[in-house]
Amino acid sequence: MRVRVYIGLGSNLSTPTEQLRNALAAIAALPQTALIAQSSLYISDPLGPADQPRYVNAVAALDTDLSPLALLDALQTIEQEQGRTRKAERWGPRTLDLDILLFGALQVDEPRLTVPHYHMHARAFVLYPLAEIAPHLRLPDGRALTELLSNCPFAGLERLNETSSI
Ligand code: ROI
């Protein structure tokens, strides 16, 4: 059954805009999955240790027949193919992060996967790109995205135009 899924993308290493554009192309090519929409790319101040480069973030909407864990496997394969290395430092820099933010109205609570993504409701670099492609969205708990946005200032964010690269 086709389910509407939202994915958060983030990178702050190895030409982040290229990482995100390549990841969006790889997501669009996933089996049993259609890429429905993608937000603009945003530059964002790092959350976590400040001594790391600024991030590029975006959100994509997909329709998929994959299960949550099959989609997670597919996204982790894309992360690894794009040379992701996991650093020891918590909340340190990364080549590519692909997070399942929402999977329809499903709530998933498994060792490998928590959906909705547990920090999404307070992160400007998730909420503003999400609002660009799904302004009327509600979370599975009934909260409207507009309500979350009203508590989350557009701070430390900068929308990139289509041709810019960092
Ligand atoms: N900070 C920003 N701005 N964007 C991210 O995608 C991001 N991802 C992370 C941490 C390290 C928490 N900080 C981030 O995983």
Side-chain angles (χ1 to χ4, degrees):
M1 200 187 63
R2 292 251 130 169
V3 180
R4 177 62 50 89
V5 176
Y6 294 93
I7 307 291
L9 301 91
S11 167
N12 71 342
L13 293 176
S14 312
T15 320
T17 46
E18 235 172 74
Q19 297 298 335
L20 263 59
R21 290 186 179 119
N22 290 343
L24 286 163
I27 288 169
L30 287 177
Q32 300 173 63
T33 302
L35 177 62
I36 301 296
Q38 61 190 68
S39 73
S40 309
L41 306 188
Y42 290 77
I43 300 181
S44 62
D45 290 342
L47 181 71
D51 60 340
Q52 58 178 319
R54 296 174 87 199
Y55 280 76
V56 176
N57 286 108
V59 171
L62 326 177
D63 280 349
T64 190
D65 292 322
L66 298 174
S67 69
L69 288 177
L71 180 61
L72 179 67
D73 285 338
L75 296 176
Q76 289 185 344
T77 300
I78 296 171
E79 288 176 346
Q80 274 144 27
E81 282 173 356
Q82 288 190 212
R84 171 165 176 158
T85 50
R86 283 174 189 269
K87 299 262 160 68
E89 189 193 1
R90 184 170 180 257
W91 285 15
R94 61 259 338 267
T95 316
L96 180 63
D97 233 356
L98 300 175
D99 291 332
I100 300 175
L101 302 171
L102 295 169
F103 199 99
L106 212 61
Q107 313 216 25
V108 181
D109 199 0
E110 301 202 24
R112 288 185 63 208
L113 183 63
T114 302
V115 178
H117 191 271
Y118 40 93
H119 291 128
M120 66 171 288
H121 54 276
R123 290 182 169 178
F125 62 79
V126 172
L127 296 180
Y128 285 90
L130 183 57
E132 227 189 292
I133 58 173
H136 307 297
L137 190 74
R138 275 183 188 276
L139 269 56
D141 68 6
R143 278 184 297 176
L145 179 57
T146 48
E147 184 191 326
L148 300 176
L149 284 166
S150 66
N151 293 313
C152 188
F154 189 87
L157 267 191
E158 193 182 314
R159 195 158 76 86
L160 273 174
N161 66 43
E162 270 131 64
T163 54
S164 303
S165 279
I166 70 161

